[in-house]
Amino acid sequence: MSFMSGTTRKYSISMPEELAETVRAHTGPGGFSAFVTEAVARHMERMRLRELIEQAEADHGPVSRQAVEEARALLRNDAADSAADVYESPATADDVRHADTKAAA
């Protein structure tokens, strides 16, 4: 389920003034609603994920620390591969990897 599709409706919310002004300073005059919408949608997705994890752990027991670390390693590798794909033009992914290796040396 995507929270970002469908019709929109105007709501009135209350939040600390300092927080609202900080958001407005970062988003500009037309980006406040989009910023709040994205933040709320992300929070809802995390809540749903937490519920799924809790249900899976209730059904199958807790996930081991080792399994979590293995999954994180896979995700980091996928993220690195995706980042390399983004930067293939004009340099190739190998160029980016070699530049990172040279910079680290």
Side-chain angles (χ1 to χ4, degrees):
M1 171 196 241
S2 173
F3 291 109
M4 302 299 277
S5 62
T7 60
T8 61
R9 184 173 173 188
K10 188 171 185 153
Y11 291 91
S12 175
I13 63 167
S14 298
M15 67 172 47
E17 183 177 7
E18 184 177 344
L19 176 60
E21 293 306 318
T22 300
V23 170
R24 189 171 305 285
H26 286 284
T27 63
F32 190 87
S33 290
F35 183 91
V36 172
T37 298
E38 184 179 329
V40 171
R42 179 174 289 153
H43 185 76
M44 294 302 301
E45 288 169 356
R46 288 182 177 172
M47 286 175 57
R48 286 181 32 217
L49 180 58
R50 171 56 37 209
E51 290 169 359
L52 288 171
I53 290 169
E54 288 172 357
Q55 185 60 52
E57 287 183 339
D59 292 345
H60 306 288
V63 178
S64 72
R65 182 51 119 182
Q66 180 181 352
V68 170
E69 292 305 322
E70 289 171 0
R72 283 184 177 154
L74 286 172
L75 290 171
R76 280 191 298 269
N77 190 36
D78 285 349
D81 290 345
S82 295
D85 291 343
V86 169
Y87 296 109
E88 282 190 45
S89 183
T92 66
D94 286 336
D95 294 335
V96 172
R97 287 186 191 107
H98 289 292
D100 288 346
T101 304
K102 289 178 185 175

